[in-house]
Every structure is written in structure tokens, then in C-alpha cells.
Amino acid sequence: MGDLKKLSASEISLHTSKDDCWLLINGKVYDVTKFLEDHPGGEEVLLHASASGDATDAFENVGHSTSATSMMESYLIGSVEGYVAPYAATGEASSRPTSSAQGNKGPASSSASFVDYLLPVLVLIFAFVAWYYLTFVHTDEKK
Ligand code: HEM
């Protein structure tokens, strides 16, 4: 695979039909038009992932085998300019496209970390209130 064609997000979004279907996975673009019918997971999921703009999460959530990953190479047609990985893929995506990266903006998302901290705290408060109720209030009622 020599140098990959640089494609823009708007260009990729023009190829989401059954006759012309591209997938964006980890910053790389795959033309899966000829693979649609052969995909073991069915063509609908591929068309849906294509239309969603970024298929990285969908692809990784399935937990594809290594043979599936090596199959992808034959459909590779290019890479996307200025790719920023989606939230769920940031931590573990092993093949993050850092090669041609121009000062990648990190996985900054203050709202996500807010929820990350707030949720456990709320769960703890709820657990404490439940424990308090069951230990004191509820047993008092019986007496
Ligand atoms: C070029 C991209 C892709 C290739 C080459 C590919 C290839 C494969 C292969 C070979 C399998 C069989 C199981 C395995 O070996 O892991 C599979 C299963 C599957 N794929 Fe993909 N896939 C691609 C993209 C996607 C995407 C974007 C989705 C989106 C949801 C997806 C959803 C699935 C599902 C749901 C299965 C499970 C089918 C089952 O076990 O019943 N695939 N894929």
C-alpha cells in the first residue's frame, strides 16, 4: 500500500449507498461496495455504519477477528484528512493515524468527564441512603 489518497469527510459522506459504499474506520477509508453481499454481519449494518459518518465504534464494538481486520486491507482506498477519533475509540484504538497527524487535538471532552465523576458519586449517595433507610428507619417501623 503506497501512499493513500487523502479524502475529506464531505467526500466520504457522498458514498453511503448500496452501489457505492465507503466506510471510515480509524481514520482510514474502505470501499466495501463489492463486499456488502459477502459481509457475514449483513449489508444493512455496513450501510448504516457508512451513513453514520464514522464506522469505527460500530466496527470495534463487534469485536471482529484478526482475519476480518486483515481482510480490510483489500478494501482500503484512502485516509481522511485531519481525522479525530470518536470518543469511545480514543483509548484503545491501536492503529490511530498519528503518522500524518498535524497537532492532533487530544480527546478533550469536559462534559464526558463530568458525567464520569458525577455518576459514581450519585450511586454512592443512593447506596448510603438505601443502607440508612434499611438499617434504621425500616427496622424502627417494625418495633
Ligand atoms: C471493511 C470492514 C469490515 C470487514 C472486512 C468485516 C468483516 C467481517 C467478518 C470477516 C466477519 C465474520 C466474523 C469475524 O471474522 O470477525 C464479520 C462479522 C460481523 N460484522 Fe463485520 N466487517 C467490516 C465492517 C463492519 C462494520 C462497520 C460493522 C458495523 C456494525 C460490522 C458488523 C458485523 C457484525 C454484526 C458481525 C457479526 C455477524 C455474526 O456473528 O453473526 N462489520 N465482519
Side-chain angles (χ1 to χ4, degrees):
M1 286 295 142
D3 40 357
L4 290 172
K5 212 169 163 189
K6 287 276 174 205
L7 300 157
S8 66
S10 53
E11 163 81 43
I12 296 162
S13 67
L14 298 172
H15 307 266
T16 58
S17 72
K18 226 179 143 178
D19 314 313
D20 182 14
C21 181
W22 291 6
L23 288 179
L24 171 59
I25 299 171
N26 275 323
K28 291 188 178 156
V29 184
Y30 303 87
D31 183 345
V32 291
T33 313
K34 296 202 177 90
F35 179 60
L36 286 175
E37 285 182 9
D38 301 327
H39 180 231
E43 61 179 24
E44 280 306 314
V45 289
L46 295 190
L47 286 167
H48 193 267
S50 171
S52 77
D54 193 318
T56 310
D57 282 353
F59 180 80
E60 286 180 356
N61 288 342
V62 171
H64 281 89
S65 66
T66 41
S67 76
T69 329
S70 47
M71 266 174 91
M72 292 167 79
E73 293 303 317
S74 50
Y75 303 106
L76 187 63
I77 55 163
S79 67
V80 79
E81 287 167 334
Y83 179 72
V84 178
Y87 175 68
T90 45
E92 62 216 293
S94 51
S95 56
R96 281 192 74 186
T98 42
S99 51
S100 62
Q102 340 95 329
N104 217 345
K105 304 169 208 93
S109 56
S110 49
S111 58
S113 56
F114 177 71
V115 173
D116 286 348
Y117 289 110
L118 191 67
L119 201 63
V121 171
L122 286 176
V123 170
L124 277 177
I125 292 171
F126 176 79
F128 178 77
V129 170
W131 169 80
Y132 186 88
Y133 176 80
L134 290 172
T135 311
F136 300 108
V137 184
H138 195 60
T139 44
D140 284 352
E141 274 170 9
K142 280 187 193 157
K143 284 175 195 164

